[in-house]
Amino acid sequence: VVISDEVGYRKPHPEIFEEIINIMAITDKRDVVYIGDNPNEDKLGAEKLGIQTLIIGQDLLSIEDLLQFLWVFLLDLRIGKSY
């Protein structure tokens, strides 16, 4: 869990998303999908770092949409395809 007060930045500042990537030891941002519910806070900061972002209620309209996306994303990672 990353708490904005501990990082010193709030969304949409890219630094909080960088901290998440560092904590999870992710080396390739193309392997990350950030799922949020606020286009202004979640999408702007993550996309500044080149992180694919999906917004609930905008890009994902149902749990089925989310599951379908995750299925394809995970299969693509398995065969080595990056976004």
Side-chain angles (χ1 to χ4, degrees), residues 13-70:
H13 197 286
E15 187 64 33
I16 195 158
F17 296 96
E18 260 316 332
E19 186 66 18
I20 293 167
I21 289 170
N22 291 336
I23 288 170
M24 295 180 72
I26 296 168
T27 57
D28 190 343
K29 294 175 188 169
R30 294 175 297 177
D31 294 339
V32 177
V33 176
Y34 185 86
I35 299 172
D37 63 355
N38 186 312
N40 294 322
E41 292 181 4
D42 296 324
K43 193 166 187 125
L44 294 176
E47 285 187 345
K48 283 183 183 177
L49 292 176
I51 297 171
Q52 182 177 358
T53 307
L54 298 173
I55 300 298
I56 296 169
Q58 183 178 338
D59 302 310
L60 302 169
L61 301 178
S62 67
I63 191 70
E64 289 82 14
D65 288 346
L66 174 60
L67 293 174
Q68 180 180 4
F69 172 81
L70 291 175

